[in-house]
Amino acid sequence: MDERIQRKVEKLEQQCQKEAKEFAKKVQELQKSNQVAFQHFQELDEHISYVATKVCHLGDQLEGVNTPRQRAVEAQKLMKYFNEFLDGELKSDVFTNSEKIKEAADIIQKLHLIAQELPFDRFSEVKSKIASKYHDLECQLIQEFTNAQRRGEISRMREVAAVLLHFKGYSHCVDVYIKQCQEGAFLRNDVFEDAAILCQRVNKQVGEVFSNPETVLAKLIQNIFEVKLQSYVKDQLEEHRKSDAEQYLKNLYDLYTRTTNLSSKLMEFNLGTDKQTFLSKLIKSIFISYLENYIEVEIGYLKTRSAMILQRYYDSKNHQKRSIGTGGIQDLKERIRQRTNLPLGPSIDTHGETFLSQEVVVNLLQETKQAFERCHRLSDPSDLPKNAFRIFSMLVEFLCTEHIDYALETGLAGIPSSDSRSANLYFLDVVHQANTIFHLFDKQFNDHLMPLISSSPKLSECLQKKKDIIEQMEVKLDMGIDRTLNCMIGQMKHILAAEQKKTDFKPEDENNVLIQYTNACVKVCGYVRKQVEKIRNSMDGKNVDTVLMELGVRFHRLIYEHLQQYSYSCMGGMLAICDVAEYRKCAKDFKIPLVLQLFDTLHALCNLLVVAPDNLKQVCSGEQLANLDKNILHSFVQLRADYRSARLARHFS
């Protein structure tokens, strides 16, 4: 089987080799025939190129002959038509047939150009006739364009406009188009919306009619701005320019905003290369006379309006503003008052009125906010920071100086002396309202002024002005709070002087004392708790803790010095401890660790009033009293009624 298969394989290999040789021979024959065919194609291509060159050369020769011939024919026609003008009688069908106005226009346009070159003395009459016919055809074409526009025939408009393009009256054709576009376009009250709709409609049509649509659309927009909008703006503004500054400014802002918005919409259209500059110039041409002195009108109105808001408020309070003096003497008084806390000048009774009004402040800030918005929109970019600073200065003058500072001065003058028996400590209400106003003032500064001046040198000037005015007011607030705290301590002194009796701490009957703490202590604690609550309601942030700490320290000093005035029996010492325990409980309301610590120490000191003589040294060396000066400890021991006994003196020494 293997031999049989091997013989079969050999036979097939021989057959395959034979067929391969035959196929290779066949391929060689095909390659030869292909080379012959390719050579024939090359010869054919060369022949075609030769023929084409001959044809092109022949064509050039024919064109060289035909072009002068056509020019000669055209010149002959023009000479024929020119002769008709010389004879004074137009016989050609092209001039008499109204349907051939396009051909007539082409001829007369060429004749008009030729006539320009002829000497006037010999051809004046014919030149005049050609010019007259030129003008007549121009008028007919414009009329035809007008009629086609009224009928809405776009193709006819395009055809006539193309003919008129070479005439001098082409611009008049554009003017007619612009005029007719606007017929019936401004029927509503909103001229800006009408203008936008008109331009949108014309933008779609003008490209189908004119070969230079961007020029025509730009001319339409220029006409709308210089005729319609300028007239509308003038009517709206001139009515209020001298009589009503508020309405004038509102109208100016509204009209300028709507005009710039319209300009933004028109930026979508193709108006040429520099449409931004083109539209800016149109807006400027309308508003330049109003924007030149805008800031003066703004400042004048803001000043008048702010003064009126303040005056209306003070009139509602039946209050005549006091003159707060300035100059050398006033400055000297101010420095003395700041350093000595003395109330220079007469104290006035304001009957609890703070003379601060959040409604007034909101009105002033609202007016200023609107002024900032108008300033941002209407000011030239180079003048914007300077104008914004002037508006801010007006706000500082009327809000900070005329209203807040005046209220602080009045509040300071209304604070009674520390030894007054009836003190209306309403200055904390002034502090509370002033604090609220400061927040509103600061918010407007950040939200509305900062964006206008953030990248200009005026930023540092505004920040410094704000810092100066706030520091000036903080000095007065600090002074008022300090004097108010003095008054609070004065009131506590009066309560203690009126309610505390010597017999409270040295009762006649030591064994029959029923009260847990004295009446003076109850009233003082009640008064202090009210003041703590008032301080918390009047201030915020760290200011609360700062003021409460100061009040707590002074309160402790007052009680400490008050206790030093009495002599204590054993039962009286217990009552004193009970009083101090109540004072300490009151001190917890302060939530100030230092104040509580001071009263803890005072409570420990009071133990020296009742402790057995033998235990004095042990108590004095206790944790709370060990670090105190020995003189302080001694001063409390001396308050004991039994101090002079030899036994007590011996034990303490």
Side-chain angles (χ1 to χ4, degrees):
M1 186 183 292
D2 179 59
E3 288 174 355
R4 193 165 55 246
I5 291 171
Q6 185 63 36
R7 286 196 299 272
K8 191 174 181 180
V9 167
E10 290 174 354
K11 186 178 179 181
L12 287 171
E13 285 178 348
Q14 290 173 358
Q15 186 178 352
C16 183
Q17 288 174 358
K18 182 180 178 182
E19 288 180 359
K21 288 179 181 179
E22 290 176 356
F23 184 75
K25 185 177 179 182
K26 192 174 182 179
V27 168
Q28 286 178 352
E29 291 174 355
L30 286 172
Q31 282 180 339
K32 288 179 181 178
S33 62
N34 183 50
Q35 285 177 350
V36 171
F38 181 72
Q39 186 175 358
H40 288 169
F41 274 120
Q42 277 186 326
E43 291 173 357
L44 182 62
D45 184 54
E46 289 173 358
H47 188 64
I48 290 171
S49 297
Y50 175 76
V51 172
T53 304
K54 289 290 186 181
V55 170
C56 288
H57 179 66
L58 182 62
D60 290 339
Q61 287 181 326
L62 289 172
E63 186 178 1
V65 173
N66 188 52
T67 300
R69 180 179 174 280
Q70 284 181 337
R71 288 176 180 170
V73 171
E74 188 175 345
Q76 185 184 17
K77 287 182 180 178
L78 288 174
M79 290 172 67
K80 174 188 170 186
Y81 295 134
F82 188 79
N83 284 333
E84 290 185 17
F85 280 99
L86 277 174
D87 296 339
E89 186 177 356
L90 301 178
K91 300 177 182 178
S92 299
D93 183 52
V94 72
F95 291 126
T96 56
N97 190 345
S98 59
E99 294 182 359
K100 295 186 177 181
I101 190 171
K102 182 178 178 181
E103 292 84 348
D106 181 56
I107 292 168
I108 200 66
Q109 201 268 335
K110 292 175 180 176
L111 288 175
H112 186 263
L113 291 175
I114 294 170
Q116 302 297 318
E117 305 296 327
L118 298 176
F120 183 77
D121 52 349
R122 290 179 57 192
F123 297 97
S124 60
E125 186 177 350
V126 70
K127 288 177 73 171
S128 175
K129 289 178 181 178
I130 290 174
S132 176
K133 188 64 177 176
Y134 179 93
H135 179 69
D136 290 345
L137 279 174
E138 191 177 66
C139 291
Q140 289 179 41
L141 286 168
I142 291 173
Q143 186 60 46
E144 180 64 26
F145 181 88
T146 303
N147 295 336
Q149 185 178 0
R150 285 175 178 161
R151 293 191 299 267
E153 297 176 357
I154 301 297
S155 59
R156 183 58 179 163
M157 289 168 64
R158 180 173 59 249
E159 185 181 354
V160 176
V163 175
L164 275 168
L165 183 62
H166 304 290
F167 279 76
K168 293 180 180 178
Y170 178 72
S171 61
H172 188 55
C173 169
V174 174
D175 292 339
V176 168
Y177 176 77
I178 289 172
K179 182 179 178 181
Q180 289 199 163
C181 280
Q182 297 180 64
E183 290 179 359
F186 297 95
L187 297 177
R188 295 178 297 179
N189 292 329
D190 193 343
V191 65
F192 298 95
E193 187 64 27
D194 287 340
I197 293 172
L198 171 62
C199 292
Q200 187 74 39
R201 175 167 58 84
V202 170
N203 183 57
K204 294 177 181 178
Q205 185 184 81
V206 74
E208 301 175 5
V209 176
F210 298 97
S211 58
N212 54 341
E214 67 280 354
T215 305
V216 178
L217 186 58
K219 197 168 184 180
L220 169 65
I221 291 171
Q222 183 175 356
N223 183 268
I224 291 172
F225 271 75
E226 293 179 351
V227 179
K228 284 289 180 185
L229 295 188
Q230 189 156 16
S231 174
Y232 181 77
V233 167
K234 185 176 180 181
D235 291 343
Q236 293 290 313
L237 294 180
E238 292 298 332
E239 180 183 356
H240 304 289
R241 190 167 191 174
K242 294 182 180 179
S243 59
D244 188 347
E246 179 181 13
Q247 193 60 46
Y248 169 76
L249 289 169
K250 285 181 179 178
N251 286 354
L252 178 59
Y253 175 77
D254 179 60
L255 291 169
Y256 190 83
T257 302
R258 294 170 74 187
T259 305
T260 51
N261 290 342
L262 174 62
S263 174
S264 299
K265 292 179 182 178
L266 299 179
M267 283 288 290
E268 301 172 5
F269 306 139
N270 181 16
L271 305 175
T273 52
D274 196 358
K275 51 188 174 182
Q276 177 72 52
T277 305
F278 169 69
L279 291 170
S280 297
K281 285 182 177 178
L282 291 179
I283 295 173
K284 188 175 181 181
S285 68
I286 295 176
F287 290 97
I288 187 168
S289 62
Y290 304 107
L291 298 182
E292 282 178 341
N293 67 335
Y294 149 71
I295 194 60
E296 302 302 330
V297 178
E298 185 72 80
I299 294 298
Y301 165 70
L302 192 59
K303 189 172 185 178
T304 304
R305 178 67 177 168
S306 300
M308 185 186 73
I309 290 171
L310 289 178
Q311 191 57 49
R312 187 184 297 164
Y313 168 70
Y314 294 121
D315 288 345
S316 71
K317 299 292 182 182
N318 293 321
H319 175 72
Q320 183 67 38
K321 281 188 78 173
R322 297 185 309 120
S323 175
I324 299 175
T326 56
I329 296 177
Q330 182 64 24
D331 292 342
L332 178 61
K333 284 184 176 181
E334 188 65 26
R335 285 198 297 271
I336 294 173
R337 185 168 66 176
Q338 289 179 18
R339 294 185 181 183
T340 63
N341 207 24
L342 295 174
L344 298 178
S347 177
I348 63 171
D349 187 1
T350 58
H351 305 287
E353 178 60 58
T354 63
F355 292 109
L356 284 172
S357 166
Q358 196 158 337
E359 182 182 354
V360 167
V361 172
V362 169
N363 288 337
L364 290 174
L365 291 174
Q366 182 63 24
E367 292 293 341
T368 313
K369 175 187 173 184
Q370 292 173 357
F372 280 134
E373 290 174 351
R374 288 192 291 263
C375 176
H376 189 197
R377 175 72 70 178
L378 302 176
S379 294
D380 187 270
S382 60
D383 295 331
L384 178 58
K386 178 177 66 177
N387 292 346
F389 179 75
R390 291 184 67 182
I391 293 172
F392 175 63
S393 298
M394 283 288 104
L395 177 64
V396 169
E397 178 183 346
F398 286 95
L399 176 62
C400 298
T401 305
E402 294 293 328
H403 191 55
I404 305 176
D405 192 61
Y406 175 77
L408 293 180
E409 285 285 348
T410 305
L412 285 172
I415 298 175
S417 61
S418 59
D419 58 352
S420 175
R421 291 189 174 276
S422 58
N424 183 8
L425 304 179
Y426 81 100
F427 190 81
L428 291 178
D429 296 332
V430 177
V431 174
H432 175 62
Q433 292 186 29
N435 187 42
T436 303
I437 293 169
F438 276 142
H439 287 308
L440 295 173
F441 172 74
D442 195 52
K443 187 175 188 308
Q444 183 167 93
F445 183 92
N446 293 325
D447 292 351
H448 297 100
L449 176 62
M450 284 293 287
L452 308 186
I453 59 170
S454 58
S455 57
S456 79
K458 284 291 179 183
L459 174 61
S460 59
E461 196 173 342
C462 286
L463 289 171
Q464 187 61 45
K465 192 176 185 73
K466 175 188 169 189
K467 180 183 176 186
D468 291 343
I469 196 71
I470 289 179
E471 284 180 354
Q472 176 187 339
M473 292 184 184
E474 283 179 345
V475 167
K476 293 180 181 179
L477 287 169
D478 289 345
M479 188 190 314
I481 292 170
D482 183 59
R483 290 169 59 186
T484 299
L485 294 181
N486 284 343
C487 287
M488 290 179 182
I489 299 301
Q491 291 296 297
M492 295 181 212
K493 280 184 181 179
H494 285 304
I495 294 172
L496 291 171
E499 300 294 333
Q500 198 85 74
K501 298 178 177 58
K502 289 187 177 182
T503 56
D504 287 345
F505 302 117
K506 210 171 182 181
E508 296 176 359
D509 186 357
E510 289 278 329
N511 299 318
N512 195 22
V513 178
L514 300 177
I515 59 173
Q516 294 180 339
Y517 31 75
T518 65
N519 192 44
C521 173
V522 173
K523 290 191 174 182
V524 167
C525 288
Y527 179 80
V528 170
R529 286 190 173 97
K530 287 181 182 177
Q531 305 316 309
V532 170
E533 183 180 358
K534 195 165 190 179
I535 289 171
R536 290 194 186 281
N537 293 334
S538 301
M539 298 176 194
D540 58 7
K542 294 181 179 179
N543 293 331
V544 177
D545 291 344
T546 303
V547 175
L548 285 178
M549 180 184 289
E550 185 63 28
L551 176 61
V553 170
R554 296 186 191 188
F555 174 38
H556 167 266
R557 187 184 303 123
L558 172 67
I559 301 303
Y560 177 85
E561 292 174 354
H562 174 69
L563 293 173
Q564 295 278 335
Q565 300 174 18
Y566 298 94
S567 176
Y568 299 87
S569 65
C570 183
M571 184 54 67
M574 293 299 295
L575 280 172
I577 290 174
C578 290
D579 276 3
V580 172
E582 196 64 24
Y583 291 136
R584 184 174 61 175
K585 195 182 296 182
C586 182
K588 287 182 180 179
D589 293 343
F590 286 71
K591 297 179 181 177
I592 306 294
L594 174 62
V595 176
L596 188 58
Q597 182 184 344
L598 288 173
F599 277 94
D600 285 343
T601 304
L602 183 59
H603 188 267
L605 281 170
C606 287
N607 286 330
L608 298 177
L609 302 175
V610 297
V611 70
D614 294 340
N615 296 330
L616 272 174
K617 280 190 176 182
Q618 182 183 350
V619 173
C620 289
S621 59
E623 182 182 346
Q624 289 184 315
L625 301 181
N627 295 325
L628 290 182
D629 187 272
K630 193 170 183 180
N631 292 329
I632 295 175
L633 301 174
H634 193 197
S635 66
F636 260 81
V637 174
Q638 285 180 328
L639 300 177
R640 294 171 61 127
D642 57 355
Y643 174 72
R644 297 196 177 275
S645 69
R647 184 183 173 204
L648 181 61
R650 185 176 68 252
H651 277 282
F652 187 74
S653 62

